[in-house]
Amino acid sequence: MFAGIAGISAQPFFMTARRSYTRIVDARILVVEDDLTVAEVVVDYLRHAGLEPRHAVDGHTALEMAAAWPPDLVVLDLMLPGVSGLEVCRHLREGEHVRGPLPVIMLTALGEESDRVLGLESGADDYVTKPFSPRELTLRVQAVLRRAQAARAAATQPPPPVRSGRLEVDVAARRARSEGRELELTGREFDLLAFFVCHPGRAFSRAELLEQVWGWSFGDLSTITVYVRRLREKVEQEPTVPIQLQTVWGVGYRWEALPS
């Protein structure tokens, strides 16, 4: 049905799919997309999923709308006229226009691994590559919203720091130290490290890590490979011969707990 619309993949189940969503009522979704046709389809899907979407056509408008109408989540096109999507994301996540951590899902026509990682490192919680399924995007929006709600609930009862070998990970403070030295981790790197140290001894596939760490039911599995490599460079004494963050061939990765 949408095969002729740039950025939207064909959806033969437009009417039936929308009734299967788990509803998160009244969540405000700001859709930042300069392609009006794509934006209209996305807004329609989000609205029929029980959400409250609004549309901004460029970065300047998005920042103004976020200040006047604080959203619960932003769907943000990477390639925008004027202010780029990356810059808009940084402004939003730095709290210049909204209060509190704001979930962001990036839309990108760039399929290279470096471009996807750049979007994530800018503060995006997820990314969707064009052309995309509006149903998949809606499911991702709901998954990110649920994860944000769970994080807020967990913040009311912060867990104690976890120690594993030379490492100490404070999930509540989002700080990690190695032999007393604070590690410089990105948000994604910290999420993955915290998950591993809290689940020692169990092997996880890359698909399981995408789902359980970041709530992604869809995604490029190579993203996990990139972040595992980066983590090893920061937490292992010999990254090429890891002691704690080990590869389980044919499965994925396992964290080995060591005495503190």
Side-chain angles (χ1 to χ4, degrees), residues 110-156:
L110 305 176
E112 294 297 323
E113 177 185 282
S114 59
D115 295 314
R116 295 194 301 269
V117 172
L118 179 62
L120 293 173
E121 296 297 4
S122 71
D125 294 84
D126 199 354
Y127 70 89
V128 178
T129 303
K130 295 180 179 180
F132 60 85
S133 156
R135 177 176 181 266
E136 175 186 339
L137 175 60
T138 302
L139 291 172
R140 290 195 185 212
V141 166
Q142 293 182 321
V144 172
L145 284 171
R146 284 193 293 269
R147 189 166 71 248
Q149 291 175 348
R152 287 194 294 269
T156 62

mmCIF file of all heavy atoms in Angstrom, residues 110-156:
data_model
loop_
_atom_site.group_PDB
_atom_site.id
_atom_site.type_symbol
_atom_site.label_atom_id
_atom_site.label_comp_id
_atom_site.label_asym_id
_atom_site.label_seq_id
_atom_site.Cartn_x
_atom_site.Cartn_y
_atom_site.Cartn_z
ATOM 1 N N LEU A 110 20.584 6.490 6.376
ATOM 2 C CA LEU A 110 21.979 6.063 6.313
ATOM 3 C C LEU A 110 22.121 4.689 6.943
ATOM 4 O O LEU A 110 21.813 4.505 8.113
ATOM 5 C CB LEU A 110 22.870 7.071 7.054
ATOM 6 C CG LEU A 110 22.744 8.520 6.565
ATOM 7 C CD1 LEU A 110 23.584 9.441 7.439
ATOM 8 C CD2 LEU A 110 23.174 8.628 5.112
ATOM 9 N N GLY A 111 22.585 3.723 6.164
ATOM 10 C CA GLY A 111 22.640 2.351 6.661
ATOM 11 C C GLY A 111 23.985 1.910 7.180
ATOM 12 O O GLY A 111 24.122 0.793 7.657
ATOM 13 N N GLU A 112 25.011 2.778 7.082
ATOM 14 C CA GLU A 112 26.336 2.381 7.534
ATOM 15 C C GLU A 112 26.383 2.242 9.056
ATOM 16 O O GLU A 112 25.735 2.995 9.781
ATOM 17 C CB GLU A 112 27.372 3.404 7.084
ATOM 18 C CG GLU A 112 27.554 3.483 5.570
ATOM 19 C CD GLU A 112 28.076 2.180 4.986
ATOM 20 O OE1 GLU A 112 28.909 1.537 5.651
ATOM 21 O OE2 GLU A 112 27.647 1.809 3.881
ATOM 22 N N GLU A 113 27.186 1.277 9.521
ATOM 23 C CA GLU A 113 27.305 1.035 10.953
ATOM 24 C C GLU A 113 27.749 2.284 11.691
ATOM 25 O O GLU A 113 27.214 2.622 12.760
ATOM 26 C CB GLU A 113 28.304 -0.098 11.189
ATOM 27 C CG GLU A 113 28.570 -0.397 12.646
ATOM 28 C CD GLU A 113 29.650 -1.446 12.803
ATOM 29 O OE1 GLU A 113 29.345 -2.634 12.609
ATOM 30 O OE2 GLU A 113 30.790 -1.060 13.110
ATOM 31 N N SER A 114 28.712 3.026 11.132
ATOM 32 C CA SER A 114 29.226 4.223 11.798
ATOM 33 C C SER A 114 28.146 5.274 11.963
ATOM 34 O O SER A 114 28.100 5.983 12.973
ATOM 35 C CB SER A 114 30.400 4.805 11.006
ATOM 36 O OG SER A 114 30.005 5.145 9.688
ATOM 37 N N ASP A 115 27.237 5.382 10.982
ATOM 38 C CA ASP A 115 26.152 6.357 11.075
ATOM 39 C C ASP A 115 25.153 5.965 12.149
ATOM 40 O O ASP A 115 24.663 6.800 12.899
ATOM 41 C CB ASP A 115 25.437 6.483 9.725
ATOM 42 C CG ASP A 115 26.335 7.049 8.643
ATOM 43 O OD1 ASP A 115 27.014 8.055 8.921
ATOM 44 O OD2 ASP A 115 26.361 6.479 7.541
ATOM 45 N N ARG A 116 24.867 4.669 12.245
ATOM 46 C CA ARG A 116 23.922 4.214 13.264
ATOM 47 C C ARG A 116 24.501 4.429 14.656
ATOM 48 O O ARG A 116 23.803 4.897 15.566
ATOM 49 C CB ARG A 116 23.591 2.735 13.050
ATOM 50 C CG ARG A 116 22.865 2.445 11.746
ATOM 51 C CD ARG A 116 22.279 1.041 11.752
ATOM 52 N NE ARG A 116 23.298 0.017 11.931
ATOM 53 C CZ ARG A 116 23.941 -0.573 10.924
ATOM 54 N NH1 ARG A 116 23.688 -0.234 9.692
ATOM 55 N NH2 ARG A 116 24.832 -1.521 11.165
ATOM 56 N N VAL A 117 25.765 4.083 14.833
ATOM 57 C CA VAL A 117 26.388 4.257 16.139
ATOM 58 C C VAL A 117 26.470 5.733 16.502
ATOM 59 O O VAL A 117 26.244 6.114 17.648
ATOM 60 C CB VAL A 117 27.793 3.611 16.161
ATOM 61 C CG1 VAL A 117 28.533 3.956 17.445
ATOM 62 C CG2 VAL A 117 27.665 2.093 16.018
ATOM 63 N N LEU A 118 26.757 6.595 15.528
ATOM 64 C CA LEU A 118 26.798 8.028 15.783
ATOM 65 C C LEU A 118 25.459 8.524 16.294
ATOM 66 O O LEU A 118 25.392 9.314 17.238
ATOM 67 C CB LEU A 118 27.192 8.778 14.507
ATOM 68 C CG LEU A 118 27.255 10.309 14.608
ATOM 69 C CD1 LEU A 118 28.307 10.728 15.621
ATOM 70 C CD2 LEU A 118 27.540 10.915 13.236
ATOM 71 N N GLY A 119 24.382 8.048 15.687
ATOM 72 C CA GLY A 119 23.058 8.445 16.151
ATOM 73 C C GLY A 119 22.793 7.994 17.575
ATOM 74 O O GLY A 119 22.261 8.744 18.393
ATOM 75 N N LEU A 120 23.192 6.775 17.897
ATOM 76 C CA LEU A 120 22.993 6.263 19.251
ATOM 77 C C LEU A 120 23.838 7.028 20.257
ATOM 78 O O LEU A 120 23.391 7.339 21.358
ATOM 79 C CB LEU A 120 23.327 4.768 19.298
ATOM 80 C CG LEU A 120 22.392 3.852 18.508
ATOM 81 C CD1 LEU A 120 22.929 2.429 18.500
ATOM 82 C CD2 LEU A 120 20.987 3.875 19.076
ATOM 83 N N GLU A 121 25.086 7.330 19.878
ATOM 84 C CA GLU A 121 25.967 8.027 20.807
ATOM 85 C C GLU A 121 25.522 9.461 21.038
ATOM 86 O O GLU A 121 25.881 10.079 22.038
ATOM 87 C CB GLU A 121 27.415 8.005 20.293
ATOM 88 C CG GLU A 121 28.022 6.629 20.193
ATOM 89 C CD GLU A 121 28.132 5.917 21.532
ATOM 90 O OE1 GLU A 121 27.670 6.457 22.561
ATOM 91 O OE2 GLU A 121 28.657 4.801 21.569
ATOM 92 N N SER A 122 24.753 10.027 20.105
ATOM 93 C CA SER A 122 24.251 11.383 20.298
ATOM 94 C C SER A 122 23.163 11.424 21.359
ATOM 95 O O SER A 122 22.755 12.501 21.786
ATOM 96 C CB SER A 122 23.690 11.932 18.979
ATOM 97 O OG SER A 122 22.481 11.279 18.638
ATOM 98 N N GLY A 123 22.696 10.267 21.803
ATOM 99 C CA GLY A 123 21.690 10.209 22.842
ATOM 100 C C GLY A 123 20.425 9.507 22.419
ATOM 101 O O GLY A 123 19.499 9.367 23.218
ATOM 102 N N ALA A 124 20.339 9.071 21.157
ATOM 103 C CA ALA A 124 19.143 8.374 20.702
ATOM 104 C C ALA A 124 18.998 7.035 21.412
ATOM 105 O O ALA A 124 19.972 6.349 21.686
ATOM 106 C CB ALA A 124 19.194 8.164 19.192
ATOM 107 N N ASP A 125 17.761 6.663 21.727
ATOM 108 C CA ASP A 125 17.493 5.396 22.407
ATOM 109 C C ASP A 125 17.342 4.251 21.416
ATOM 110 O O ASP A 125 17.500 3.083 21.780
ATOM 111 C CB ASP A 125 16.210 5.512 23.239
ATOM 112 C CG ASP A 125 16.373 6.492 24.385
ATOM 113 O OD1 ASP A 125 16.193 7.707 24.165
ATOM 114 O OD2 ASP A 125 16.701 6.051 25.490
ATOM 115 N N ASP A 126 17.020 4.575 20.173
ATOM 116 C CA ASP A 126 16.819 3.551 19.155
ATOM 117 C C ASP A 126 16.953 4.236 17.797
ATOM 118 O O ASP A 126 16.975 5.465 17.706
ATOM 119 C CB ASP A 126 15.440 2.901 19.315
ATOM 120 C CG ASP A 126 15.332 1.554 18.623
ATOM 121 O OD1 ASP A 126 16.288 1.176 17.914
ATOM 122 O OD2 ASP A 126 14.294 0.891 18.777
ATOM 123 N N TYR A 127 17.053 3.449 16.757
ATOM 124 C CA TYR A 127 17.087 4.002 15.411
ATOM 125 C C TYR A 127 16.287 3.097 14.492
ATOM 126 O O TYR A 127 16.150 1.892 14.721
ATOM 127 C CB TYR A 127 18.532 4.131 14.898
ATOM 128 C CG TYR A 127 19.188 2.804 14.619
ATOM 129 C CD1 TYR A 127 19.085 2.197 13.370
ATOM 130 C CD2 TYR A 127 19.880 2.122 15.615
ATOM 131 C CE1 TYR A 127 19.647 0.966 13.120
ATOM 132 C CE2 TYR A 127 20.453 0.892 15.383
ATOM 133 C CZ TYR A 127 20.345 0.318 14.125
ATOM 134 O OH TYR A 127 20.900 -0.914 13.892
ATOM 135 N N VAL A 128 15.735 3.677 13.440
ATOM 136 C CA VAL A 128 15.009 2.943 12.411
ATOM 137 C C VAL A 128 15.534 3.427 11.073
ATOM 138 O O VAL A 128 15.604 4.632 10.824
ATOM 139 C CB VAL A 128 13.487 3.179 12.505
ATOM 140 C CG1 VAL A 128 12.770 2.450 11.387
ATOM 141 C CG2 VAL A 128 12.953 2.740 13.860
ATOM 142 N N THR A 129 15.920 2.487 10.209
ATOM 143 C CA THR A 129 16.484 2.827 8.914
ATOM 144 C C THR A 129 15.385 2.875 7.855
ATOM 145 O O THR A 129 14.560 1.971 7.756
ATOM 146 C CB THR A 129 17.554 1.794 8.509
ATOM 147 O OG1 THR A 129 18.560 1.741 9.521
ATOM 148 C CG2 THR A 129 18.203 2.172 7.194
ATOM 149 N N LYS A 130 15.370 3.943 7.066
ATOM 150 C CA LYS A 130 14.419 4.066 5.962
ATOM 151 C C LYS A 130 14.860 3.206 4.790
ATOM 152 O O LYS A 130 16.062 3.075 4.537
ATOM 153 C CB LYS A 130 14.335 5.522 5.504
ATOM 154 C CG LYS A 130 13.770 6.488 6.540
ATOM 155 C CD LYS A 130 13.737 7.897 5.987
ATOM 156 C CE LYS A 130 13.165 8.879 6.992
ATOM 157 N NZ LYS A 130 13.131 10.259 6.475
ATOM 158 N N PRO A 131 13.898 2.626 4.044
ATOM 159 C CA PRO A 131 12.454 2.666 4.281
ATOM 160 C C PRO A 131 12.068 1.765 5.451
ATOM 161 O O PRO A 131 12.678 0.711 5.646
ATOM 162 C CB PRO A 131 11.865 2.140 2.975
ATOM 163 C CG PRO A 131 12.933 1.250 2.425
ATOM 164 C CD PRO A 131 14.245 1.868 2.821
ATOM 165 N N PHE A 132 11.090 2.169 6.240
ATOM 166 C CA PHE A 132 10.723 1.426 7.430
ATOM 167 C C PHE A 132 9.231 1.113 7.427
ATOM 168 O O PHE A 132 8.438 1.724 6.711
ATOM 169 C CB PHE A 132 11.073 2.227 8.690
ATOM 170 C CG PHE A 132 10.370 3.553 8.787
ATOM 171 C CD1 PHE A 132 9.096 3.650 9.322
ATOM 172 C CD2 PHE A 132 10.978 4.710 8.326
ATOM 173 C CE1 PHE A 132 8.447 4.863 9.404
ATOM 174 C CE2 PHE A 132 10.341 5.936 8.402
ATOM 175 C CZ PHE A 132 9.063 6.011 8.945
ATOM 176 N N SER A 133 8.872 0.152 8.242
ATOM 177 C CA SER A 133 7.473 -0.202 8.445
ATOM 178 C C SER A 133 6.899 0.696 9.534
ATOM 179 O O SER A 133 7.437 0.745 10.639
ATOM 180 C CB SER A 133 7.360 -1.668 8.872
ATOM 181 O OG SER A 133 6.167 -1.902 9.590
ATOM 182 N N PRO A 134 5.798 1.420 9.275
ATOM 183 C CA PRO A 134 5.209 2.236 10.327
ATOM 184 C C PRO A 134 4.720 1.409 11.512
ATOM 185 O O PRO A 134 4.700 1.890 12.640
ATOM 186 C CB PRO A 134 4.051 2.962 9.620
ATOM 187 C CG PRO A 134 3.785 2.176 8.396
ATOM 188 C CD PRO A 134 5.077 1.551 7.997
ATOM 189 N N ARG A 135 4.339 0.170 11.259
ATOM 190 C CA ARG A 135 3.942 -0.703 12.371
ATOM 191 C C ARG A 135 5.141 -1.004 13.258
ATOM 192 O O ARG A 135 5.058 -0.961 14.487
ATOM 193 C CB ARG A 135 3.348 -2.005 11.838
ATOM 194 C CG ARG A 135 2.987 -3.002 12.948
ATOM 195 C CD ARG A 135 2.310 -4.236 12.376
ATOM 196 N NE ARG A 135 1.963 -5.162 13.437
ATOM 197 C CZ ARG A 135 2.717 -6.171 13.832
ATOM 198 N NH1 ARG A 135 3.890 -6.377 13.257
ATOM 199 N NH2 ARG A 135 2.328 -6.972 14.799
ATOM 200 N N GLU A 136 6.299 -1.319 12.632
ATOM 201 C CA GLU A 136 7.509 -1.587 13.409
ATOM 202 C C GLU A 136 7.905 -0.351 14.216
ATOM 203 O O GLU A 136 8.279 -0.450 15.391
ATOM 204 C CB GLU A 136 8.660 -1.978 12.491
ATOM 205 C CG GLU A 136 9.984 -2.165 13.225
ATOM 206 C CD GLU A 136 11.151 -2.416 12.292
ATOM 207 O OE1 GLU A 136 10.924 -2.843 11.144
ATOM 208 O OE2 GLU A 136 12.298 -2.174 12.714
ATOM 209 N N LEU A 137 7.827 0.829 13.596
ATOM 210 C CA LEU A 137 8.173 2.056 14.306
ATOM 211 C C LEU A 137 7.271 2.253 15.516
ATOM 212 O O LEU A 137 7.737 2.622 16.604
ATOM 213 C CB LEU A 137 8.057 3.257 13.365
ATOM 214 C CG LEU A 137 8.274 4.626 14.011
ATOM 215 C CD1 LEU A 137 9.664 4.742 14.632
ATOM 216 C CD2 LEU A 137 8.045 5.738 12.990
ATOM 217 N N THR A 138 5.977 1.993 15.357
ATOM 218 C CA THR A 138 5.042 2.147 16.460
ATOM 219 C C THR A 138 5.368 1.182 17.596
ATOM 220 O O THR A 138 5.329 1.543 18.774
ATOM 221 C CB THR A 138 3.588 1.928 15.980
ATOM 222 O OG1 THR A 138 3.308 2.865 14.940
ATOM 223 C CG2 THR A 138 2.598 2.121 17.113
ATOM 224 N N LEU A 139 5.719 -0.053 17.251
ATOM 225 C CA LEU A 139 6.102 -1.027 18.275
ATOM 226 C C LEU A 139 7.362 -0.582 19.006
ATOM 227 O O LEU A 139 7.483 -0.743 20.224
ATOM 228 C CB LEU A 139 6.312 -2.399 17.637
ATOM 229 C CG LEU A 139 5.053 -3.092 17.101
ATOM 230 C CD1 LEU A 139 5.429 -4.347 16.328
ATOM 231 C CD2 LEU A 139 4.091 -3.427 18.227
ATOM 232 N N ARG A 140 8.302 -0.010 18.268
ATOM 233 C CA ARG A 140 9.525 0.482 18.909
ATOM 234 C C ARG A 140 9.234 1.663 19.826
ATOM 235 O O ARG A 140 9.816 1.777 20.913
ATOM 236 C CB ARG A 140 10.543 0.885 17.848
ATOM 237 C CG ARG A 140 11.126 -0.278 17.085
ATOM 238 C CD ARG A 140 12.357 0.172 16.332
ATOM 239 N NE ARG A 140 12.881 -0.892 15.490
ATOM 240 C CZ ARG A 140 14.157 -1.049 15.227
ATOM 241 N NH1 ARG A 140 15.048 -0.233 15.755
ATOM 242 N NH2 ARG A 140 14.569 -2.016 14.436
ATOM 243 N N VAL A 141 8.360 2.545 19.392
ATOM 244 C CA VAL A 141 7.961 3.677 20.243
ATOM 245 C C VAL A 141 7.398 3.161 21.554
ATOM 246 O O VAL A 141 7.749 3.631 22.648
ATOM 247 C CB VAL A 141 6.930 4.562 19.519
ATOM 248 C CG1 VAL A 141 6.250 5.523 20.493
ATOM 249 C CG2 VAL A 141 7.605 5.356 18.405
ATOM 250 N N GLN A 142 6.521 2.184 21.483
ATOM 251 C CA GLN A 142 5.910 1.650 22.696
ATOM 252 C C GLN A 142 6.932 0.940 23.572
ATOM 253 O O GLN A 142 6.878 1.034 24.805
ATOM 254 C CB GLN A 142 4.763 0.718 22.323
ATOM 255 C CG GLN A 142 3.601 1.459 21.669
ATOM 256 C CD GLN A 142 2.434 0.547 21.343
ATOM 257 O OE1 GLN A 142 2.629 -0.595 20.918
ATOM 258 N NE2 GLN A 142 1.236 1.031 21.514
ATOM 259 N N ALA A 143 7.876 0.223 22.948
ATOM 260 C CA ALA A 143 8.914 -0.462 23.724
ATOM 261 C C ALA A 143 9.791 0.545 24.463
ATOM 262 O O ALA A 143 10.117 0.359 25.644
ATOM 263 C CB ALA A 143 9.771 -1.339 22.812
ATOM 264 N N VAL A 144 10.178 1.630 23.797
ATOM 265 C CA VAL A 144 11.015 2.643 24.439
ATOM 266 C C VAL A 144 10.245 3.346 25.551
ATOM 267 O O VAL A 144 10.791 3.636 26.625
ATOM 268 C CB VAL A 144 11.535 3.655 23.404
ATOM 269 C CG1 VAL A 144 12.238 4.826 24.087
ATOM 270 C CG2 VAL A 144 12.495 2.968 22.436
ATOM 271 N N LEU A 145 8.960 3.610 25.340
ATOM 272 C CA LEU A 145 8.139 4.231 26.385
ATOM 273 C C LEU A 145 8.046 3.327 27.613
ATOM 274 O O LEU A 145 8.154 3.792 28.752
ATOM 275 C CB LEU A 145 6.739 4.533 25.854
ATOM 276 C CG LEU A 145 6.603 5.732 24.922
ATOM 277 C CD1 LEU A 145 5.201 5.762 24.312
ATOM 278 C CD2 LEU A 145 6.888 7.041 25.651
ATOM 279 N N ARG A 146 7.850 2.029 27.389
ATOM 280 C CA ARG A 146 7.764 1.098 28.526
ATOM 281 C C ARG A 146 9.079 1.054 29.284
ATOM 282 O O ARG A 146 9.103 1.000 30.516
ATOM 283 C CB ARG A 146 7.374 -0.303 28.033
ATOM 284 C CG ARG A 146 5.910 -0.450 27.661
ATOM 285 C CD ARG A 146 5.533 -1.916 27.483
ATOM 286 N NE ARG A 146 6.207 -2.483 26.326
ATOM 287 C CZ ARG A 146 5.703 -2.496 25.096
ATOM 288 N NH1 ARG A 146 4.526 -1.940 24.869
ATOM 289 N NH2 ARG A 146 6.363 -3.043 24.104
ATOM 290 N N ARG A 147 10.198 1.063 28.542
ATOM 291 C CA ARG A 147 11.502 1.030 29.196
ATOM 292 C C ARG A 147 11.743 2.298 30.011
ATOM 293 O O ARG A 147 12.294 2.235 31.116
ATOM 294 C CB ARG A 147 12.599 0.864 28.141
ATOM 295 C CG ARG A 147 13.965 0.604 28.744
ATOM 296 C CD ARG A 147 14.937 0.109 27.709
ATOM 297 N NE ARG A 147 15.334 1.134 26.767
ATOM 298 C CZ ARG A 147 15.008 1.136 25.484
ATOM 299 N NH1 ARG A 147 14.260 0.174 24.988
ATOM 300 N NH2 ARG A 147 15.433 2.095 24.678
ATOM 301 N N ALA A 148 11.317 3.439 29.481
ATOM 302 C CA ALA A 148 11.467 4.698 30.208
ATOM 303 C C ALA A 148 10.624 4.698 31.481
ATOM 304 O O ALA A 148 11.067 5.168 32.534
ATOM 305 C CB ALA A 148 11.084 5.869 29.309
ATOM 306 N N GLN A 149 9.417 4.157 31.395
ATOM 307 C CA GLN A 149 8.558 4.073 32.581
ATOM 308 C C GLN A 149 9.182 3.164 33.630
ATOM 309 O O GLN A 149 9.156 3.470 34.828
ATOM 310 C CB GLN A 149 7.172 3.563 32.179
ATOM 311 C CG GLN A 149 6.361 4.546 31.355
ATOM 312 C CD GLN A 149 5.042 3.961 30.886
ATOM 313 O OE1 GLN A 149 4.802 2.751 30.977
ATOM 314 N NE2 GLN A 149 4.179 4.808 30.356
ATOM 315 N N ALA A 150 9.739 2.031 33.191
ATOM 316 C CA ALA A 150 10.368 1.107 34.135
ATOM 317 C C ALA A 150 11.585 1.745 34.790
ATOM 318 O O ALA A 150 11.839 1.544 35.984
ATOM 319 C CB ALA A 150 10.772 -0.178 33.410
ATOM 320 N N ALA A 151 12.354 2.524 34.017
ATOM 321 C CA ALA A 151 13.535 3.183 34.577
ATOM 322 C C ALA A 151 13.139 4.202 35.631
ATOM 323 O O ALA A 151 13.797 4.324 36.667
ATOM 324 C CB ALA A 151 14.325 3.850 33.462
ATOM 325 N N ARG A 152 12.069 4.942 35.393
ATOM 326 C CA ARG A 152 11.609 5.921 36.392
ATOM 327 C C ARG A 152 11.145 5.224 37.658
ATOM 328 O O ARG A 152 11.394 5.690 38.773
ATOM 329 C CB ARG A 152 10.490 6.769 35.796
ATOM 330 C CG ARG A 152 10.965 7.785 34.769
ATOM 331 C CD ARG A 152 9.889 8.807 34.476
ATOM 332 N NE ARG A 152 8.739 8.205 33.820
ATOM 333 C CZ ARG A 152 8.601 8.103 32.512
ATOM 334 N NH1 ARG A 152 9.543 8.558 31.700
ATOM 335 N NH2 ARG A 152 7.534 7.552 31.987
ATOM 336 N N ALA A 153 10.467 4.079 37.492
ATOM 337 C CA ALA A 153 9.997 3.343 38.669
ATOM 338 C C ALA A 153 11.177 2.780 39.461
ATOM 339 O O ALA A 153 11.187 2.815 40.692
ATOM 340 C CB ALA A 153 9.059 2.213 38.239
ATOM 341 N N ALA A 154 12.193 2.281 38.742
ATOM 342 C CA ALA A 154 13.355 1.712 39.422
ATOM 343 C C ALA A 154 14.159 2.773 40.153
ATOM 344 O O ALA A 154 14.823 2.489 41.151
ATOM 345 C CB ALA A 154 14.244 0.980 38.414
ATOM 346 N N ALA A 155 14.096 4.007 39.654
ATOM 347 C CA ALA A 155 14.880 5.081 40.267
ATOM 348 C C ALA A 155 14.408 5.401 41.681
ATOM 349 O O ALA A 155 15.159 5.970 42.478
ATOM 350 C CB ALA A 155 14.811 6.328 39.402
ATOM 351 N N THR A 156 13.176 5.028 42.007
ATOM 352 C CA THR A 156 12.663 5.297 43.355
ATOM 353 C C THR A 156 13.253 4.343 44.385
ATOM 354 O O THR A 156 13.225 4.626 45.577
ATOM 355 C CB THR A 156 11.130 5.186 43.373
ATOM 356 O OG1 THR A 156 10.741 3.849 43.015
ATOM 357 C CG2 THR A 156 10.512 6.159 42.375
#
